[in-house]
Amino acid sequence: MSSEEPKGAALPVHAKDDPMVDAENAPSKSALKKAAKEAEKAAKKAAAKEKEAAQRAQQAAAADEDKAVDNYGSITKAKETGVIHLKKLNETHADQEITVITRIHNSRVQSAKLAFLMLRQQGETIQAVMAAAGDDVSKQMIKWATAIPVNSFVRVTGLVKKPDPAIASASISNLELNVKKIYEISRAMEMLPMQVKDCERPPPESNEEGQSDATGPIVTLKTRLDNRVIDFQTDVNQAIFTISSAVEVLFTDYMVKAGSRKFNTAKFVGAATEGGAGVFEVTNYFGKSAYLAQSPQFYKQMLIAGDCESVFEIGPVFRAENSNTHRHLTEFTGLDFEMVFTNHYHEVLTFAENLIVFIITTLQKSYAAEIATVQKFYPRAGDFRIKDNKALRLNYADGIRLLKEAGVDTSEQDRFETDLSTAMEKQLGKIIREKYDTDFYVLDEFPMAVRPFYTKRHPTDPNLSNSYDFFMRGEEIMSGAQRINDAGELEQSMRAKGVDPTAEGFQDYVNAFRQGCRPHAGGGLGLNRIVQFFLGLDNVRQATPFPRDPQRLRP
Amino acid sequence: MSSEEPKGAALPVHAKDDPMVDAENAPSKSALKKAAKEAEKAAKKAAAKEKEAAQRAQQAAAADEDKAVDNYGSITKAKETGVIHLKKLNETHADQEITVITRIHNSRVQSAKLAFLMLRQQGETIQAVMAAAGDDVSKQMIKWATAIPVNSFVRVTGLVKKPDPAIASASISNLELNVKKIYEISRAMEMLPMQVKDCERPPPESNEEGQSDATGPIVTLKTRLDNRVIDFQTDVNQAIFTISSAVEVLFTDYMVKAGSRKFNTAKFVGAATEGGAGVFEVTNYFGKSAYLAQSPQFYKQMLIAGDCESVFEIGPVFRAENSNTHRHLTEFTGLDFEMVFTNHYHEVLTFAENLIVFIITTLQKSYAAEIATVQKFYPRAGDFRIKDNKALRLNYADGIRLLKEAGVDTSEQDRFETDLSTAMEKQLGKIIREKYDTDFYVLDEFPMAVRPFYTKRHPTDPNLSNSYDFFMRGEEIMSGAQRINDAGELEQSMRAKGVDPTAEGFQDYVNAFRQGCRPHAGGGLGLNRIVQFFLGLDNVRQATPFPRDPQRLRP
């Protein structure tokens, strides 16, 4: 506050200290008289000066009195009021006084009497003007407000105005706020590990640390994830997680409307079902070991065997696989469903196709703004295309044929022994996009050899199975099938795949089919992958709030 | 089929083998003539007999020919048709031919020409009549159908009829089915470990094995849970899990309508946050240990600090506590929410009260049939009472006062050091039910000493805190509070509770509040407990599909 502080009145010069009076160098009488007169004159002059200075001081004090002292400071001074969310603000609020609770995105002092704050709420920004005029805003208030560290939370009351020209740097460019009150709710530290504005630039493709470009520091995915709480605050992350939530809720709505019930099956299982490989082990389970379920597959089928007819689950899936890729996590959110059918498993396959079409088209209709926000930052993938709003269903053999026609060597796949590689899947995605103008398609009738033991064999071609995968932009988002519903057939299939049906981890599962079970089919979707591939994100971690991989357990 | 098999025609007696012709004992000419005449007569007689026998055989074959042979047998013989769910069947279907897919609940042979099957689908039962008359149903078909083991799945086509009198033993007593076709879909083993009908009697109060009563074998909770797939098939379990699913879906709907977003936070955490006690440890996390989250508390607050404003989560919560009670599990489903507020944490408290009232009143309105089914088996608790469809909110101190007035020793609680015991909570539930006529109430302003370190202290009384618990029938279903949103205040509170804020498991959490965070509050509900106490079930395991406790990891 140094340059603006009142300086106090100048000290009056007192007669006794007048340097003209010198007793030791004694003067003549006339000189004394003259001196006395001069002294009197000087005293009068000094008194006048003193009076003038006192008046000046009084004036100065009056001018610097902070009439806005109640309009800023700690939140404890604020009166309780309603507040409006920045996303709800529109031109109908012009010339109205409103209150918002926002972060300070940045602040700029123009002069002692004028400053601009950029306010931010969930990625939305608006310019707030602080002008010292009238009794609402003082210079002291401006000084105080512009000293608040960036990212702190404030409660701001102001008059909504339509700026001319529009404020290009704010997301709400057609409105601004003339501040009348501002209170600090929660203070950010002066130096943040990273800035939200730096995070609003997309990460570099290579994710190498230490890169930089012309626009400012590059923030790698690692740094973002290390500081996830700040990273969440960007408009792009707010949009990604709005869409992620919507996918879950739309999935739930669709299942419930179809008469399905939501279950939460056990994540602790008593025995590892795949010989321990790929399974996380909890060693302190009351004197024994427990294992974490790699999928709710067995449990949802047991619910079907228990007459639940149609079930779904949303929950964590744990995979102890040392896969360090753009689409693998050790923990992800599975959207699983399983249901009986009347005549043919294609009833379930069609249901699942319609489910995905419903989710995609609803997202495109109801979340266009969020999709646009994400695309601004991750533009490479482009719009998600779904022709005629329906799924394209091909047989696996058709997929192989399309690859072959494009010159891909599919000799391994031709022998029904090997699944498509990730590279082949991506290439097939491109071929299908060109040929069929769609980013969502289904492959049906996979070879039996590449599917798990519980998959139902094709009724006429023993090399094939009643199973399907779903793809978005050439990447798998779901795997599903008709399941074996007879214990004897299941045991035979297990033995054929080298699995012992009498092992502890399989007994309850196999026994479930000894007491009668309807034919059923289902599938398992990865929420994180749906969000990743629908939005065209580079990395599944961007679609995961707190991702977990072989290297990452924090935050 | 032995007794009913066609026996074949009797063998015709041939002339050559007539015992009356004996060449060695040569007779006279007249005798020969006479004999010839007699032989001729006998041959004629034999031929007539032969003809008659052939006719008889033909007649018999015609009588036993199975004209219904295509109307029963393997499901592969069935034509594809639409089917109707038993729960959808009503009197408008009378005199119509319908097809259902059901289990055989039991079967009773009246005669070779008449049998009754009880068909069951998801706890609903209907009587099916098989009468050998006309060409639709044969004796062979009845014999085949009544030999199918109980619990097997069949596909039955029949004519809906209104029986007079009604079928008291069927849940659909006003309708029955005259069978025309029946095919076996999936065969149950002959001897099931327990019968669904035995499971439809409530478990004994003591849960002791080996008890029995006059109505049939007692099936303990342990046996039911060991054979959960069969147990699920009872009408009471179908109803319980319909309600459980509804609670989750209603919770989701309410949160989404309030603008909240659904998140799935990490279940793997890098460090145990309470010194390892009560925490499950995964020892094979790629060369290090990971721990299972005991609650999403830290993560949902970090999302709030990341500007998510209102979040909720439905997911597993893991507790390594050796509690073997009627309401503790090592894994349960948490319904968690957290949100910022504008002026006072009571905004969130009121929101949460309205949420629970919404769930309870919607269940009572939309799931009355399911509630009635459960009450038939667990009648002790009676209807859930919620006066004027709103929550009763008392302060903790009021609760203590009510107990004191009832003669309970609350001296420990008076010193703000000890929480209410479970017994006290139950007693308070009874007192409140009598005094206020409600089973749902809230206690607010708990002593700070009995709440976790992240709880916000009461602004004027340092002994108290801005925290609350929700109770149903005197049992806690939710705990919640305003949380500390300032890093310095949080560190101080942690130290005061003997917790080191610099420990690895707390760093990310505490740091979340260094970059500004709005005041917020929330709560954590236990889905399993809500279902248990709303329905008045004896044990939380009855409201859990595959319960996990210190003893149980299967099925």
Side-chain angles (χ1 to χ4, degrees):
Chain A
M1 303 212 344
S2 58
S3 67
E4 296 293 302
E5 233 158 31
K7 298 266 168 57
L11 279 173
V13 179
H14 198 273
K16 279 196 287 192
D17 299 325
D18 193 323
M20 300 301 283
V21 181
D22 188 341
E24 281 179 28
N25 188 17
S28 67
K29 239 185 179 176
S30 67
L32 277 172
K33 214 173 176 179
K34 194 180 170 190
K37 267 190 184 160
E38 279 178 358
E40 197 182 349
K41 226 160 89 185
K44 275 186 184 158
K45 207 171 163 184
K49 266 192 191 160
E50 196 170 348
K51 195 174 169 190
E52 198 189 315
Q55 278 171 348
R56 271 210 307 276
Q58 208 174 353
Q59 281 165 1
D64 280 352
E65 187 196 344
D66 190 353
K67 292 192 176 147
V69 72
D70 290 333
N71 293 345
Y72 66 98
S74 158
I75 186 64
T76 53
K77 293 167 74 176
K79 291 207 183 80
E80 292 193 1
T81 60
V83 300
I84 185 168
H85 196 290
L86 274 196
K87 285 186 195 287
K88 297 270 171 73
L89 210 59
N90 58 55
E91 295 207 343
T92 68
H93 295 101
D95 301 318
Q96 290 180 28
E97 194 172 286
I98 59 152
T99 299
V100 294
I101 293 178
T102 65
R103 292 191 188 263
I104 294 180
H105 190 55
N106 62 55
S107 56
R108 182 162 54 88
V109 183
Q110 196 81 355
S111 73
K113 294 187 163 186
L114 184 63
F116 300 96
L117 306 178
M118 189 63 82
L119 305 179
R120 189 184 79 233
Q121 185 172 23
Q122 296 195 303
E124 208 74 64
T125 51
I126 190 169
Q127 176 166 283
V129 184
M130 293 189 78
D135 291 345
D136 285 334
V137 177
S138 62
K139 286 187 288 180
Q140 295 91 325
M141 180 171 165
I142 290 175
K143 190 169 273 284
W144 176 85
T146 53
I148 299 173
V150 160
N151 232 49
S152 299
F153 270 107
V154 288
R155 180 179 182 127
V156 178
T157 299
L159 200 62
V160 179
K161 286 288 175 191
K162 293 196 212 171
D164 185 20
I167 314 298
S169 56
S171 71
I172 303 172
S173 55
N174 61 332
L175 299 173
E176 67 177 5
L177 209 53
N178 282 5
V179 175
K180 300 197 157 195
K181 294 177 183 172
I182 180 167
Y183 305 99
E184 184 186 292
I185 292 176
S186 175
R187 197 176 186 83
M189 57 195 282
E190 297 279 348
M191 287 293 291
L192 293 175
M194 66 182 191
Q195 296 289 327
V196 171
K197 63 181 165 58
D198 293 329
C199 290
E200 291 193 336
R201 284 188 300 277
E205 288 205 34
S206 67
N207 269 328
E208 295 280 324
E209 294 277 1
Q211 292 191 0
S212 68
D213 67 9
T215 56
I218 288 279
V219 188
T220 63
L221 182 58
K222 182 183 179 304
T223 304
R224 288 161 193 269
L225 295 179
D226 286 345
N227 298 282
R228 194 56 157 159
V229 169
I230 298 175
D231 192 35
F232 279 133
Q233 297 168 24
T234 61
D235 53 357
V236 61
N237 275 329
Q238 289 293 322
I240 288 171
F241 290 105
T242 295
I243 285 166
S244 176
S245 174
V247 171
E248 273 196 67
V249 173
L250 292 171
F251 175 75
T252 302
D253 284 354
Y254 199 86
M255 294 305 302
V256 169
K257 285 213 178 76
S260 194
R261 284 180 288 179
K262 193 167 188 292
F263 278 85
N264 300 281
T265 64
K267 300 307 154 204
F268 282 132
V269 295
T273 48
E274 298 184 16
V279 184
F280 288 112
E281 182 175 1
V282 173
T283 48
N284 65 334
Y285 197 94
F286 307 102
K288 49 194 173 294
S289 274
Y291 302 86
L292 296 180
Q294 294 168 287
S295 120
Q297 182 62 38
F298 289 3
Y299 286 110
K300 61 185 183 167
Q301 284 194 259
M302 286 160 81
L303 289 169
I304 294 295
D307 288 2
C308 293
E309 295 199 356
S310 176
V311 300
F312 69 106
E313 173 156 8
I314 301 176
V317 171
F318 303 101
R319 300 276 166 91
E321 289 158 13
N322 202 350
S323 300
N324 297 274
T325 79
H326 72 296
R327 62 176 198 176
H328 283 90
L329 296 169
T330 53
E331 177 187 344
F332 64 89
T333 301
L335 309 179
D336 274 273
F337 66 93
E338 200 74 27
M339 56 184 71
V340 299
F341 57 81
T342 303
N343 297 306
H344 196 277
Y345 82 97
H346 278 180
E347 295 162 31
V348 179
L349 177 52
T350 302
F351 173 89
E353 288 170 350
N354 293 343
L355 163 67
I356 298 297
V357 169
F358 167 75
I359 290 173
I360 291 173
T361 56
T362 308
L363 289 178
Q364 290 177 328
K365 199 173 57 191
S366 305
Y367 297 89
E370 284 80 3
I371 294 168
T373 297
V374 178
Q375 278 189 330
K376 216 169 59 188
F377 291 90
Y378 301 104
R380 258 167 291 161
D383 284 335
F384 192 91
R385 177 78 187 132
I386 175 164
K387 198 188 179 190
D388 301 333
N389 288 348
K390 64 181 191 189
L392 170 70
R393 189 192 301 174
L394 300 173
N395 279 346
Y396 176 85
D398 299 326
I400 300 292
R401 187 177 42 74
L402 287 172
L403 285 167
K404 207 176 285 183
E405 284 168 7
V408 179
D409 176 10
T410 61
S411 49
E412 284 192 31
Q413 283 71 25
D414 292 344
R415 291 198 299 271
F416 297 110
E417 283 163 12
T418 314
D419 203 354
L420 294 174
S421 68
T422 304
M424 280 173 157
E425 287 176 354
K426 282 190 185 172
Q427 192 161 356
L428 184 57
K430 282 186 190 134
I431 294 167
I432 285 175
R433 169 81 191 225
E434 272 175 36
K435 191 176 168 83
Y436 296 99
D437 190 23
T438 193
D439 285 316
F440 170 51
Y441 57 93
V442 171
L443 294 186
D444 190 20
E445 298 191 359
F446 271 71
M448 187 64 205
V450 305
R451 306 300 278 201
F453 61 75
Y454 45 77
T455 310
K456 184 85 175 171
R457 202 174 284 275
H458 190 282
T460 56
D461 186 337
N463 283 319
L464 300 180
S465 63
N466 290 357
S467 68
Y468 38 82
D469 274 4
F470 284 24
F471 296 85
M472 285 170 75
R473 303 192 202 258
E475 308 234 27
E476 187 227 307
I477 56 154
M478 187 186 109
S479 200
Q482 178 179 352
R483 328 294 186 177
I484 295 171
N485 63 317
D486 177 83
E489 188 180 339
L490 182 59
E491 288 170 316
Q492 199 175 10
S493 182
M494 291 171 92
R495 292 208 170 88
K497 295 254 184 195
V499 175
D500 177 9
T502 66
E504 197 193 339
F506 295 118
Q507 287 168 15
D508 297 316
Y509 174 66
V510 176
N511 285 340
F513 305 105
R514 294 195 205 282
Q515 47 79 53
C517 179
R518 285 179 67 172
H520 57 284
L525 292 144
L527 170 65
N528 320 59
R529 284 197 187 178
I530 294 175
V531 174
Q532 178 189 1
F533 299 126
F534 172 69
L535 291 173
L537 306 181
D538 298 330
N539 198 303
V540 70
R541 290 161 185 78
Q542 289 158 345
T544 309
F546 300 98
R548 293 293 179 257
D549 62 34
Q551 271 74 50
R552 182 174 289 281
L553 277 169
R554 281 179 67 175
Chain B
M1 306 215 339
S2 57
S3 69
E4 295 293 301
E5 234 157 31
K7 298 265 168 55
L11 279 173
V13 179
H14 198 272
K16 283 195 283 191
D17 298 325
D18 195 321
M20 299 302 285
V21 180
D22 187 346
E24 281 180 32
N25 189 15
S28 65
K29 237 184 180 177
S30 66
L32 277 173
K33 213 172 174 180
K34 191 181 174 189
K37 266 187 186 166
E38 278 176 0
E40 194 181 354
K41 223 159 95 183
K44 274 184 186 160
K45 206 172 165 183
K49 265 189 190 162
E50 196 169 348
K51 195 174 168 190
E52 197 188 314
Q55 276 171 349
R56 269 209 309 276
Q58 206 172 357
Q59 278 164 5
D64 280 352
E65 186 196 345
D66 188 355
K67 291 190 178 148
V69 74
D70 289 332
N71 294 345
Y72 67 98
S74 159
I75 186 64
T76 54
K77 292 166 76 176
K79 291 207 184 80
E80 291 192 3
T81 59
V83 299
I84 185 168
H85 196 290
L86 274 196
K87 286 186 195 288
K88 297 272 171 72
L89 210 59
N90 59 55
E91 295 207 342
T92 67
H93 295 100
D95 300 317
Q96 289 179 27
E97 195 172 285
I98 60 153
T99 299
V100 294
I101 293 177
T102 65
R103 292 192 188 262
I104 293 179
H105 190 54
N106 61 56
S107 56
R108 182 161 55 89
V109 183
Q110 197 81 354
S111 72
K113 293 188 166 188
L114 183 64
F116 299 96
L117 304 179
M118 188 64 82
L119 305 179
R120 188 184 80 233
Q121 184 172 25
Q122 295 192 305
E124 207 75 64
T125 50
I126 190 169
Q127 176 166 284
V129 183
M130 294 189 79
D135 290 347
D136 285 332
V137 177
S138 61
K139 286 186 290 179
Q140 294 91 326
M141 179 170 165
I142 290 175
K143 190 168 273 286
W144 176 86
T146 53
I148 300 173
V150 161
N151 233 49
S152 300
F153 270 108
V154 287
R155 180 180 182 128
V156 178
T157 299
L159 199 63
V160 179
K161 287 289 177 191
K162 292 197 211 170
D164 186 20
I167 314 298
S169 56
S171 70
I172 303 173
S173 55
N174 60 333
L175 299 173
E176 66 178 7
L177 207 55
N178 282 4
V179 176
K180 300 197 155 193
K181 293 177 183 171
I182 180 166
Y183 305 98
E184 184 186 292
I185 293 176
S186 175
R187 197 175 185 85
M189 58 195 282
E190 296 278 348
M191 286 294 290
L192 294 175
M194 66 182 191
Q195 295 289 327
V196 172
K197 64 181 165 57
D198 294 328
C199 290
E200 291 192 336
R201 284 187 300 275
E205 288 206 33
S206 66
N207 270 329
E208 295 278 325
E209 293 276 2
Q211 292 191 1
S212 69
D213 67 10
T215 56
I218 288 278
V219 187
T220 63
L221 182 59
K222 182 183 180 302
T223 303
R224 285 162 194 270
L225 296 178
D226 286 345
N227 298 283
R228 194 59 157 157
V229 169
I230 298 174
D231 193 34
F232 278 134
Q233 297 168 23
T234 62
D235 53 357
V236 61
N237 275 329
Q238 289 294 322
I240 288 171
F241 290 104
T242 294
I243 285 166
S244 177
S245 173
V247 170
E248 274 196 65
V249 173
L250 292 171
F251 175 74
T252 303
D253 283 354
Y254 199 85
M255 294 306 301
V256 169
K257 285 213 178 78
S260 194
R261 283 180 289 179
K262 193 167 190 289
F263 278 85
N264 301 280
T265 63
K267 300 307 154 205
F268 282 133
V269 294
T273 49
E274 299 183 17
V279 183
F280 288 112
E281 182 175 1
V282 174
T283 48
N284 64 334
Y285 198 92
F286 307 102
K288 49 193 174 296
S289 274
Y291 302 86
L292 296 181
Q294 293 167 289
S295 117
Q297 182 62 37
F298 289 3
Y299 287 110
K300 62 185 182 168
Q301 285 193 258
M302 287 161 81
L303 289 169
I304 293 295
D307 288 2
C308 293
E309 295 200 355
S310 176
V311 300
F312 69 105
E313 173 156 8
I314 300 175
V317 171
F318 303 101
R319 300 275 165 92
E321 289 158 14
N322 202 350
S323 300
N324 296 275
T325 79
H326 72 297
R327 61 178 199 175
H328 283 90
L329 295 168
T330 53
E331 177 187 344
F332 64 88
T333 301
L335 309 179
D336 274 272
F337 66 94
E338 200 74 26
M339 56 184 72
V340 299
F341 57 81
T342 302
N343 297 306
H344 196 278
Y345 82 95
H346 278 181
E347 295 163 31
V348 180
L349 177 51
T350 302
F351 173 89
E353 288 171 350
N354 292 344
L355 164 67
I356 299 296
V357 169
F358 167 76
I359 291 173
I360 291 173
T361 55
T362 308
L363 288 178
Q364 289 178 328
K365 199 172 59 193
S366 305
Y367 296 88
E370 283 80 3
I371 293 168
T373 297
V374 177
Q375 278 189 330
K376 214 169 60 188
F377 291 90
Y378 301 104
R380 260 166 289 162
D383 282 336
F384 192 90
R385 177 78 187 134
I386 175 163
K387 196 187 180 192
D388 300 334
N389 288 347
K390 64 181 190 189
L392 170 71
R393 189 193 302 174
L394 301 173
N395 278 346
Y396 176 86
D398 299 326
I400 300 291
R401 188 177 42 75
L402 287 172
L403 284 168
K404 208 176 285 183
E405 285 169 6
V408 178
D409 176 10
T410 61
S411 49
E412 284 191 32
Q413 284 72 25
D414 292 343
R415 292 197 298 270
F416 298 109
E417 283 163 12
T418 314
D419 203 353
L420 294 173
S421 68
T422 304
M424 280 172 156
E425 287 177 353
K426 282 191 185 171
Q427 192 161 357
L428 184 57
K430 282 186 190 133
I431 294 168
I432 285 176
R433 168 80 192 227
E434 272 175 35
K435 190 175 169 82
Y436 297 98
D437 190 23
T438 193
D439 285 316
F440 171 50
Y441 57 93
V442 172
L443 294 185
D444 190 18
E445 297 191 1
F446 271 71
M448 187 64 204
V450 307
R451 306 299 278 200
F453 61 76
Y454 46 76
T455 310
K456 185 84 174 171
R457 203 174 284 274
H458 191 281
T460 56
D461 187 337
N463 283 320
L464 299 181
S465 64
N466 290 357
S467 67
Y468 38 81
D469 275 3
F470 284 23
F471 297 86
M472 285 169 76
R473 302 192 203 257
E475 309 234 28
E476 188 228 308
I477 56 153
M478 187 185 108
S479 200
Q482 179 179 352
R483 327 295 185 175
I484 295 172
N485 63 317
D486 178 83
E489 187 180 338
L490 182 59
E491 288 169 317
Q492 200 176 6
S493 181
M494 291 170 93
R495 291 207 172 89
K497 294 253 183 195
V499 175
D500 178 7
T502 66
E504 197 193 339
F506 295 119
Q507 288 167 17
D508 297 316
Y509 174 66
V510 176
N511 285 341
F513 305 105
R514 295 196 204 281
Q515 48 79 54
C517 180
R518 286 180 66 173
H520 58 284
L525 292 143
L527 170 65
N528 320 58
R529 284 196 187 179
I530 294 176
V531 175
Q532 179 190 359
F533 299 127
F534 172 70
L535 291 174
L537 306 180
D538 298 331
N539 199 302
V540 71
R541 290 162 185 78
Q542 289 157 346
T544 309
F546 300 98
R548 292 292 178 258
D549 62 33
Q551 270 74 52
R552 180 174 290 281
L553 278 168
R554 281 178 66 176

